[in-house]
Structures are given as C-alpha cells and as structure tokens.
Amino acid sequence: MLRLIKEHKRKKLLQSMQKHQHFVIPNLKDVKTVAVLFVANSQQAMEEAQAVVSELEKLQIPFCGAVVEAGKCFRNAAARDEYIEFCSGHNIEFIPKASLDWVGKPADSAAAQFVGKHFNLFLALNNCNCFTVDYLTQLVDADCIVGMNNN
C-alpha cells in the first residue's frame, strides 16, 4: 500500500513540474557547458560514468555532474569510499540513498548544482527507471537534454 502511495506521489510531482521546451541540438564544437547525471546501480554503470568523465576531460569541456546511489552496487565500504573520492575529484556530486526523502526527492543541496544554471548539453545516463534522475532532469535548463530512457 505504501508503495502505491509513493508511486502516486512521484507521478503527481513529475507531472506538476513538466514543462514544454524547444530543444536546440548543439554541434559539439559549440558546446561550452555540460551537466551529467548518472545512476550508480551496478558496477558496469559506474565504469560507464568514469568513461564519460574521461571523454569530457579529453575534450576539455567544462562539466559538472551528480551520481545518484540507487542500490547495492558497491562490493564493500572501501569501494564506495573510493568512488565517492573519484566523484569529488571530478566535480561530480555523490547523492547517497540516505539523503533522499521517502518519495525519492533529493535534498535541495543536491539539486543546487543544476538549478539556476544554463547548460548547452545535459546527459541523463540512467540505465533504469529512477525517479530521482527524472526529478533532477525536470529542474535543468539546457539547450539539449539527452537520456537513455524515454522518460
């Protein structure tokens, strides 16, 4: 029953935030700012996130990002700490599962990185349905939003 209430609350929240935007697909040479949002739900997803960060650094495009912890994907506490250290060293905020409210909405400090800033390109790299990623995506002001799901 609580799960149904939570899903209903999530759906209503996303519907109230939904906006219609005119998207401009930028040429890569015109991209000046990038925001990236990842979901840490498997070892493979974390490796893909590291690969994207590496490519953005090679292209010398300024970026910021966030990683949403969405499951038990770390082998142990040391692996989790190592990944958090990687994130902090690359301007990526790690959003732990414990910082989400009962619906899945992150604390305002987690969203501060995306709210009120304009990005040329926003990458939502979620390989699963994740309400927190959908919520943060609605807060972004970007010329082009690219996602792995149809959400």
Side-chain angles (χ1 to χ4, degrees), residues 11-120:
K11 185 177 178 182
K12 288 291 185 186
L13 183 61
L14 288 176
Q15 285 175 347
S16 70
M17 296 174 65
Q18 210 163 31
K19 56 191 172 200
H20 299 283
Q21 290 182 333
H22 172 72
F23 293 106
V24 177
I25 300 174
N27 190 336
L28 191 57
K29 66 180 173 111
D30 297 330
V31 173
K32 303 292 183 224
T33 55
V34 176
V36 186
L37 189 55
F38 305 103
V39 176
N41 62 353
S42 69
Q43 190 66 36
Q44 180 183 356
M46 294 184 303
E47 290 169 4
E48 290 168 357
Q50 290 173 331
V52 169
V53 167
S54 174
E55 288 300 315
L56 288 171
E57 288 175 343
K58 283 180 191 174
L59 293 170
Q60 298 179 342
I61 298 174
F63 70 94
C64 68
V67 174
V68 178
E69 183 180 26
K72 294 185 177 184
C73 57
F74 299 103
R75 295 182 307 277
N76 52 36
R80 184 177 188 269
D81 292 341
E82 181 182 327
Y83 195 72
I84 291 171
E85 187 177 318
F86 165 79
C87 291
S88 64
H90 292 88
N91 196 26
I92 298 172
E93 183 169 346
F94 186 82
I95 303 172
K97 202 171 186 178
S99 72
L100 306 176
D101 68 6
W102 71 277
V103 176
K105 203 166 90 170
D108 291 336
S109 61
Q113 201 164 189
F114 300 116
V115 178
K117 295 180 183 172
H118 178 77
F119 301 101
N120 297 116

Side-chain angles (χ1 to χ4, degrees), residues 17 19 21 106 111-112 114-117 133-142:
M17 296 174 65
K19 56 191 172 200
Q21 290 182 333
F114 300 116
V115 178
K117 295 180 183 172
V133 171
D134 294 341
Y135 177 80
L136 289 172
T137 301
Q138 293 295 325
L139 298 176
V140 171
D141 175 28

